[in-house]
Amino acid sequence: MGWNEIFFGGMILIGLGAFLFFGRFRAGKAQRERQSKIRWRKH
Amino acid sequence: MSKHNALTTFGRSGNPMFRGEAFKPDATFAETEAPGRMTLAGTVNKTGILLILCLVTASFTWNIFFRTGDPAAVSGFLWIGLIGGLILALITIFKRQWAGVTAPLYALAQGLALGGISAMFEAQYPGIVIQAMGLTFGTLGVLLLAYKSGLIKPTENFRLMIVAATGGIALLYLVSFVMGFFGSSIGFIHSNGLFGIGFSLFVVAIAALNLVLDFDFIEEAAEQGAPRYLEWYGAFSLMVTLIWLYLEILRLLAKLRSRN
């Protein structure tokens, strides 16, 4: 296994891990309670 | 045309994933019973399932290509995956209540195509597939954190910009595809010159920013207590964007490698 596999394989694991873990939590207050949100129901 | 009118006119067209009806019928979220409501964890789990399904069929065509070494051996699977994926995507967009069935089938079909395409790129540029996958999932993780923390705040204007750019790119690809039947093409799309690489970088950026719209759609739908089938629809939207991003990164890396 070369550096290419180690570096980019690590990126896959970290990126996917971040998605699977942090994706379960609600966004921060700054994101949820702002006025300029996209009005998805209107679109 | 005032800014508001522009939003009204253009904001409701473009990316079919975010078309008018995508959210409107769910105005009765409050009437849905709590156990049947969409959650963030459910959407993440379903995205994980779709990724695994895609990987399974991708491994199948990947192995066939490297066992035979013949692109013709996978071309049938590739076209089945591409055309089947397109049909299933259209069904999912227009009948999102069916997403629980059509989204997994879409992931399986796209896996067939991706496995073949990836194997062909890998044979020509060894090591390119893991680089493209690393950059795709790296982008997913970084943009998710940027979104959750509030670093990126998608607004109506942001949405309008991304939908317009996505529509423009889709139109350009369609014109190039049709021109291909007449033995011609839009040269810079495929060139490995500076302009071609710049174009690819732009497309990668737009594909990545589509992820932010996906996150916002999922977050808002879960926040509003949308029906549970929208978990599959949200996971499907993410898959569509991730597959597009992966293919564009693959093309960009191939252009860069072909310059050496």
Side-chain angles (χ1 to χ4, degrees):
Chain A
M1 187 183 284
W3 287 110
N4 190 47
E5 284 77 12
I6 293 169
F7 182 76
F8 289 102
M11 272 179 80
I12 294 172
L13 291 178
I14 292 169
L16 205 50
F19 171 73
L20 293 173
F21 182 74
F22 292 108
R24 296 166 190 280
F25 298 103
R26 292 167 81 195
K29 216 173 173 181
Q31 186 70 272
R32 282 185 286 120
E33 295 179 5
R34 62 195 166 86
Q35 295 299 311
S36 56
K37 286 167 78 172
I38 299 173
R39 297 180 298 277
W40 286 106
R41 284 191 190 199
K42 283 188 74 178
H43 294 295
Chain B
M1 185 185 288
S2 75
K3 201 165 77 176
H4 183 75
N5 284 342
L7 271 175
T8 310
T9 307
F10 301 116
R12 298 180 188 210
S13 63
N15 191 341
M17 224 67 70
F18 306 118
R19 73 202 160 83
E21 296 80 28
F23 221 64
K24 200 176 169 187
D26 303 319
T28 54
F29 290 164
E31 294 166 14
T32 312
E33 286 183 24
R37 288 185 189 171
M38 178 181 183
T39 63
L40 289 175
T43 310
V44 169
N45 290 341
K46 287 170 176 66
T47 308
I49 292 169
L50 296 187
L51 283 171
I52 290 169
L53 291 174
C54 187
L55 196 65
V56 168
T57 46
S59 312
F60 174 71
T61 40
W62 172 280
N63 284 330
I64 288 178
F65 180 84
F66 281 106
R67 208 172 49 229
T68 60
D70 180 14
V74 293
S75 63
F77 293 112
L78 208 146
W79 283 108
I80 290 170
L82 286 176
I83 295 168
L86 179 67
I87 293 168
L88 287 161
L90 289 173
I91 295 172
T92 312
I93 289 164
F94 291 105
K95 281 281 177 192
R96 59 207 165 98
Q97 293 90 336
W98 296 358
V101 176
T102 54
L105 290 175
Y106 167 82
L108 288 168
Q110 289 298 81
L112 285 177
L114 286 184
I117 293 168
S118 301
M120 288 178 202
F121 273 95
E122 183 72 14
Q124 201 169 355
Y125 307 107
I128 197 172
V129 167
I130 196 160
Q131 290 173 350
M133 284 179 71
L135 291 170
T136 303
F137 287 115
T139 306
L140 174 74
V142 168
L143 281 179
L144 180 81
L145 291 177
Y147 173 80
K148 293 279 183 186
S149 65
L151 200 64
I152 297 178
K153 294 187 177 76
T155 61
E156 286 288 352
N157 281 342
F158 173 86
R159 177 184 173 278
L160 175 64
M161 187 187 76
I162 299 301
V163 168
T166 306
I169 292 164
L171 192 65
L172 197 65
Y173 280 167
L174 185 68
V175 169
S176 175
F177 181 71
V178 172
M179 282 171 74
F181 288 114
F182 302 100
S184 183
S185 72
I186 302 172
F188 70 87
I189 291 182
H190 310 291
S191 95
N192 64 353
L194 280 183
F195 199 70
I197 288 170
F199 174 75
S200 272
L201 275 172
F202 171 74
V203 177
V204 166
I206 295 299
L209 290 174
N210 265 285
L211 283 175
V212 177
L213 287 183
D214 290 333
F215 297 149
D216 199 57
F217 174 83
I218 291 165
E219 186 86 24
E220 186 67 14
E223 193 77 14
Q224 300 289 334
R228 179 153 283 174
Y229 63 79
L230 275 185
E231 287 181 352
W232 281 112
Y233 188 77
F236 161 77
S237 302
L238 266 178
M239 278 299 289
V240 171
T241 311
L242 278 176
I243 289 169
W244 181 34
L245 179 62
Y246 167 74
L247 287 173
E248 292 300 340
I249 290 176
L250 202 59
R251 274 162 54 87
L252 173 63
L253 291 175
K255 282 181 183 180
L256 291 170
R257 294 272 289 267
S258 70
R259 286 168 67 89
N260 296 333

XYZ file of all heavy atoms in Angstrom, chain B residues 104-164:
450
model
N -33.061 2.836 -3.815
C -32.090 1.723 -3.780
C -31.831 1.142 -5.178
O -30.686 0.803 -5.506
C -32.763 0.681 -2.879
C -33.679 1.471 -2.012
C -34.171 2.581 -2.874
N -32.893 1.052 -6.013
C -32.692 0.546 -7.375
C -31.810 1.500 -8.172
O -30.955 1.080 -8.960
C -34.054 0.370 -8.083
C -34.925 -0.767 -7.550
C -36.291 -0.748 -8.239
C -34.252 -2.121 -7.765
N -32.006 2.796 -7.947
C -31.175 3.816 -8.611
C -29.711 3.639 -8.211
O -28.805 3.669 -9.068
C -31.677 5.218 -8.225
C -30.734 6.330 -8.592
C -30.713 6.839 -9.890
C -29.847 6.873 -7.659
C -29.824 7.856 -10.238
C -28.971 7.878 -7.996
C -28.966 8.359 -9.285
O -28.076 9.364 -9.630
N -29.471 3.431 -6.913
C -28.093 3.258 -6.424
C -27.451 2.017 -7.048
O -26.276 2.047 -7.453
C -28.089 3.163 -4.900
N -28.233 0.933 -7.145
C -27.707 -0.300 -7.765
C -27.361 -0.061 -9.235
O -26.296 -0.478 -9.715
C -28.737 -1.434 -7.650
C -28.942 -2.022 -6.251
C -30.175 -2.921 -6.222
C -27.713 -2.812 -5.809
N -28.264 0.622 -9.955
C -28.039 0.886 -11.380
C -26.819 1.789 -11.582
O -25.953 1.511 -12.428
C -29.282 1.540 -11.988
N -26.740 2.853 -10.788
C -25.615 3.770 -10.944
C -24.294 3.094 -10.593
O -23.257 3.401 -11.173
C -25.810 5.014 -10.062
C -26.887 5.938 -10.549
C -26.595 6.519 -11.928
O -26.830 5.878 -12.932
N -26.079 7.717 -11.992
N -24.345 2.142 -9.647
C -23.136 1.392 -9.289
C -22.590 0.632 -10.490
O -21.380 0.602 -10.723
N -23.500 0.025 -11.267
C -23.073 -0.710 -12.473
C -22.285 0.215 -13.404
O -21.234 -0.156 -13.937
C -24.291 -1.256 -13.225
C -25.004 -2.479 -12.651
C -26.211 -2.813 -13.508
C -24.063 -3.683 -12.566
N -22.834 1.411 -13.614
C -22.186 2.366 -14.519
C -20.873 2.885 -13.919
O -19.836 2.915 -14.595
C -23.126 3.524 -14.816
N -20.921 3.264 -12.643
C -19.735 3.849 -12.009
C -18.570 2.862 -11.951
O -17.410 3.247 -12.130
C -20.065 4.325 -10.587
C -20.890 5.598 -10.466
C -21.051 5.975 -9.004
C -20.243 6.748 -11.212
N -18.884 1.582 -11.681
C -17.834 0.563 -11.618
C -17.100 0.449 -12.942
O -15.866 0.398 -12.985
N -17.870 0.426 -14.039
C -17.267 0.327 -15.365
C -16.462 1.558 -15.727
O -15.317 1.457 -16.191
N -17.058 2.737 -15.489
C -16.370 3.998 -15.827
C -15.084 4.125 -15.000
O -14.011 4.437 -15.525
C -17.303 5.214 -15.560
C -18.479 5.183 -16.548
C -16.549 6.524 -15.659
C -19.608 6.144 -16.201
N -15.198 3.843 -13.698
C -14.037 3.967 -12.807
C -12.917 3.015 -13.236
O -11.733 3.393 -13.241
C -14.424 3.647 -11.360
O -15.435 4.507 -10.933
N -13.301 1.781 -13.596
C -12.282 0.794 -13.995
C -11.539 1.250 -15.248
O -10.320 1.088 -15.354
C -12.953 -0.558 -14.231
N -12.270 1.861 -16.187
C -11.620 2.343 -17.412
C -10.629 3.473 -17.105
O -9.528 3.514 -17.646
C -12.679 2.820 -18.411
C -13.465 1.684 -19.037
S -14.724 2.332 -20.139
C -15.849 0.964 -20.190
N -11.034 4.387 -16.223
C -10.126 5.474 -15.821
C -8.912 4.906 -15.085
O -7.786 5.336 -15.293
C -10.859 6.480 -14.924
C -11.578 7.562 -15.677
C -12.921 7.453 -15.978
C -10.912 8.703 -16.089
C -13.594 8.452 -16.682
C -11.562 9.711 -16.799
C -12.911 9.579 -17.090
N -9.164 3.918 -14.198
C -8.088 3.338 -13.387
C -7.053 2.629 -14.271
O -5.855 2.683 -14.004
C -8.678 2.356 -12.367
C -7.686 1.723 -11.404
C -7.152 2.703 -10.353
O -7.728 3.793 -10.184
O -6.125 2.364 -9.717
N -7.566 1.953 -15.323
C -6.654 1.250 -16.220
C -5.727 2.233 -16.939
O -4.564 1.943 -17.197
C -7.454 0.445 -17.238
N -6.280 3.422 -17.232
C -5.483 4.421 -17.950
C -4.592 5.236 -17.003
O -3.451 5.547 -17.340
C -6.429 5.358 -18.700
C -5.739 6.083 -19.839
C -6.737 6.804 -20.744
O -7.949 6.688 -20.576
N -6.213 7.535 -21.711
N -5.125 5.573 -15.827
C -4.368 6.377 -14.854
C -4.401 5.661 -13.498
O -5.290 5.935 -12.686
C -4.977 7.774 -14.712
C -5.162 8.511 -16.014
C -6.434 8.692 -16.559
C -4.065 9.036 -16.701
C -6.610 9.367 -17.749
C -4.241 9.714 -17.904
C -5.515 9.873 -18.414
O -5.684 10.541 -19.601
N -3.489 4.760 -13.231
C -3.531 3.994 -11.973
C -3.554 4.901 -10.728
O -2.824 5.891 -10.664
C -2.240 3.175 -12.027
C -1.911 3.080 -13.476
C -2.364 4.364 -14.090
N -4.424 4.541 -9.795
C -4.515 5.297 -8.539
C -5.499 6.453 -8.583
O -5.756 7.105 -7.573
N -6.095 6.702 -9.773
C -6.969 7.892 -9.910
C -8.305 7.724 -9.179
O -8.864 8.696 -8.660
C -7.201 8.204 -11.418
C -7.722 9.631 -11.583
C -8.140 7.222 -12.077
C -7.799 10.100 -13.019
N -8.801 6.482 -9.097
C -10.126 6.269 -8.507
C -10.125 6.552 -7.003
O -11.023 7.234 -6.494
C -10.625 4.836 -8.811
C -11.843 4.477 -7.965
C -10.997 4.726 -10.286
N -9.098 6.083 -6.321
C -9.069 6.342 -4.867
C -8.859 7.834 -4.597
O -9.389 8.387 -3.621
C -8.004 5.460 -4.144
C -8.289 5.481 -2.637
C -6.592 5.903 -4.437
C -7.684 4.359 -1.873
N -8.165 8.513 -5.498
C -7.994 9.964 -5.353
C -9.343 10.669 -5.506
O -9.691 11.542 -4.708
C -7.023 10.495 -6.408
C -5.584 10.065 -6.186
C -4.668 10.467 -7.328
O -5.105 10.903 -8.382
N -3.374 10.301 -7.114
N -10.095 10.263 -6.537
C -11.407 10.891 -6.773
C -12.362 10.593 -5.617
O -13.105 11.474 -5.175
C -11.994 10.394 -8.092
N -12.323 9.344 -5.116
C -13.207 8.995 -3.989
C -12.816 9.778 -2.736
O -13.675 10.272 -2.003
C -13.139 7.495 -3.714
C -13.903 6.669 -4.721
S -13.786 4.911 -4.388
C -14.789 4.744 -2.928
N -11.520 9.881 -2.496
C -11.034 10.625 -1.334
C -11.480 12.078 -1.393
O -11.974 12.638 -0.408
N -11.322 12.695 -2.559
C -11.708 14.101 -2.701
C -13.224 14.278 -2.605
O -13.703 15.260 -2.039
C -11.190 14.655 -4.038
C -9.662 14.811 -4.118
C -9.206 15.139 -5.532
C -9.171 15.883 -3.149
N -13.982 13.304 -3.120
C -15.451 13.393 -3.050
C -15.930 13.319 -1.596
O -16.687 14.180 -1.133
C -16.101 12.245 -3.862
O -15.636 12.320 -5.195
C -17.620 12.341 -3.849
N -15.467 12.297 -0.871
C -15.930 12.155 0.517
C -15.315 13.218 1.427
O -15.935 13.635 2.408
C -15.648 10.742 1.032
C -16.571 9.722 0.439
C -16.097 8.715 -0.387
C -17.933 9.778 0.680
C -16.956 7.779 -0.951
C -18.805 8.849 0.117
C -18.311 7.854 -0.699
N -14.104 13.657 1.082
C -13.487 14.765 1.827
C -14.341 16.020 1.691
O -14.620 16.715 2.676
N -14.775 16.299 0.461
C -15.635 17.464 0.209
C -16.952 17.325 0.964
O -17.434 18.284 1.572
C -15.921 17.582 -1.315
O -14.686 17.610 -2.003
C -16.722 18.820 -1.641
N -17.514 16.117 0.953
C -18.780 15.860 1.662
C -18.639 16.186 3.152
O -19.463 16.911 3.724
C -19.183 14.390 1.485
C -20.400 13.905 2.271
C -21.689 14.439 1.673
C -20.462 12.379 2.315
N -17.559 15.653 3.766
C -17.356 15.870 5.202
C -17.120 17.339 5.533
O -17.734 17.886 6.457
N -16.270 17.998 4.752
C -15.931 19.402 5.036
C -17.154 20.303 4.855
O -17.443 21.162 5.695
C -14.767 19.858 4.115
C -14.592 21.371 4.163
C -13.472 19.168 4.518
N -17.896 20.095 3.766
C -19.066 20.947 3.521
C -20.164 20.704 4.542
O -20.878 21.625 4.934
C -19.601 20.733 2.101
C -18.810 21.447 1.003
C -19.385 21.152 -0.360
C -18.792 22.949 1.231
N -20.294 19.450 5.012
C -21.296 19.168 6.043
C -20.959 19.927 7.323
O -21.825 20.561 7.928
C -21.382 17.663 6.329
C -22.421 17.329 7.402
C -23.828 17.302 6.813
C -22.141 16.005 8.077
N -19.681 19.885 7.715
C -19.270 20.597 8.921
C -19.452 22.105 8.744
O -19.891 22.798 9.662
C -17.811 20.274 9.254
C -17.549 18.833 9.722
C -16.065 18.604 9.959
C -18.326 18.528 11.000
N -19.111 22.607 7.535
C -19.274 24.045 7.268
C -20.748 24.433 7.344
O -21.094 25.500 7.850
C -18.706 24.386 5.894
N -21.622 23.538 6.871
C -23.057 23.832 6.907
C -23.596 23.759 8.336
O -24.285 24.665 8.809
C -23.834 22.858 6.008
C -25.322 23.017 6.157
C -25.990 24.045 5.502
C -26.054 22.171 6.991
C -27.351 24.235 5.674
C -27.411 22.353 7.164
C -28.051 23.377 6.510
O -29.400 23.571 6.696
N -23.259 22.683 9.030
C -23.797 22.489 10.388
C -23.355 23.608 11.329
O -24.090 24.008 12.219
C -23.332 21.138 10.942
C -23.914 19.930 10.220
C -25.303 19.598 10.681
C -25.824 18.344 9.998
N -27.216 18.063 10.306
N -22.105 24.077 11.116
C -21.587 25.116 12.013
C -22.106 26.504 11.645
O -21.935 27.452 12.405
C -20.057 25.113 11.959
O -19.637 25.493 10.662
N -22.731 26.614 10.478
C -23.252 27.919 10.070
C -22.237 28.739 9.289
O -22.466 29.912 9.005
N -21.115 28.131 8.934
C -20.086 28.838 8.164
C -20.618 29.166 6.768
O -20.363 30.237 6.225
C -18.835 27.955 8.060
C -17.522 28.629 7.729
C -17.132 29.598 8.838
C -16.424 27.584 7.546
N -21.353 28.217 6.182
C -22.020 28.464 4.902
C -23.502 28.598 5.192
O -24.112 27.698 5.777
C -21.815 27.291 3.913
C -20.340 27.138 3.575
C -22.620 27.514 2.645
C -20.051 25.973 2.641
N -24.069 29.746 4.796
C -25.499 29.973 5.059
C -26.235 30.086 3.731
O -26.236 31.139 3.103
C -25.675 31.252 5.887
C -25.102 31.168 7.297
C -25.470 32.417 8.088
C -24.982 32.328 9.512
N -23.536 32.553 9.626
N -26.866 28.981 3.283
C -27.575 29.052 2.008
C -28.802 29.960 2.076
O -29.614 29.835 2.983
C -27.980 27.598 1.747
C -27.916 26.924 3.062
C -26.927 27.656 3.901
N -28.893 30.874 1.118
C -30.026 31.809 1.049
C -30.767 31.580 -0.265
O -30.348 30.766 -1.083
C -29.514 33.257 1.083
O -28.669 33.439 -0.060
C -28.733 33.555 2.347
N -31.834 32.329 -0.468
C -32.599 32.216 -1.720
C -31.706 32.574 -2.911
O -31.771 31.941 -3.954
C -33.822 33.142 -1.688
C -34.949 32.655 -0.793
C -35.695 31.456 -1.370
O -35.452 31.088 -2.524
O -36.521 30.873 -0.642
N -30.887 33.624 -2.762
C -29.998 34.033 -3.857
C -28.948 32.961 -4.140
O -28.609 32.715 -5.297
C -29.302 35.357 -3.529
C -30.222 36.536 -3.756
O -31.228 36.406 -4.453
N -29.905 37.656 -3.154
N -28.434 32.334 -3.081
C -27.467 31.241 -3.230
C -28.113 30.107 -4.017
O -27.533 29.576 -4.956
C -27.048 30.771 -1.828
C -26.177 29.538 -1.810
C -24.801 29.636 -1.942
C -26.741 28.273 -1.637
C -24.005 28.496 -1.919
C -25.953 27.136 -1.617
C -24.575 27.252 -1.751
N -29.331 29.769 -3.633
C -30.052 28.696 -4.310
C -30.269 29.040 -5.778
O -30.048 28.214 -6.662
C -31.395 28.462 -3.610
C -32.261 27.420 -4.279
C -33.614 27.295 -3.601
N -34.466 26.411 -4.369
C -35.145 26.795 -5.434
N -35.099 28.052 -5.829
N -35.887 25.933 -6.096
N -30.691 30.286 -6.026
C -30.930 30.735 -7.404
C -29.662 30.611 -8.243
O -29.689 30.114 -9.373
C -31.410 32.193 -7.379
C -31.609 32.876 -8.731
C -32.712 32.205 -9.517
C -31.928 34.350 -8.534
N -28.530 31.019 -7.643
C -27.248 30.976 -8.356
C -26.857 29.526 -8.688
O -26.474 29.223 -9.818
C -26.170 31.607 -7.469
C -24.829 31.795 -8.129
S -23.619 32.340 -6.931
C -23.274 30.840 -6.037
N -26.982 28.638 -7.710
C -26.566 27.246 -7.915
C -27.488 26.527 -8.905
O -27.033 25.794 -9.777
C -26.546 26.473 -6.562
C -25.542 27.122 -5.606
C -26.189 24.997 -6.759
C -24.125 27.182 -6.112
N -28.796 26.776 -8.770
C -29.750 26.139 -9.684
C -29.512 26.621 -11.110
O -29.512 25.825 -12.061
C -31.210 26.406 -9.225
C -32.205 26.011 -10.304
C -31.505 25.652 -7.946
N -29.262 27.927 -11.278
C -29.019 28.484 -12.619
C -27.735 27.896 -13.210
O -27.703 27.485 -14.373
C -28.926 30.003 -12.538
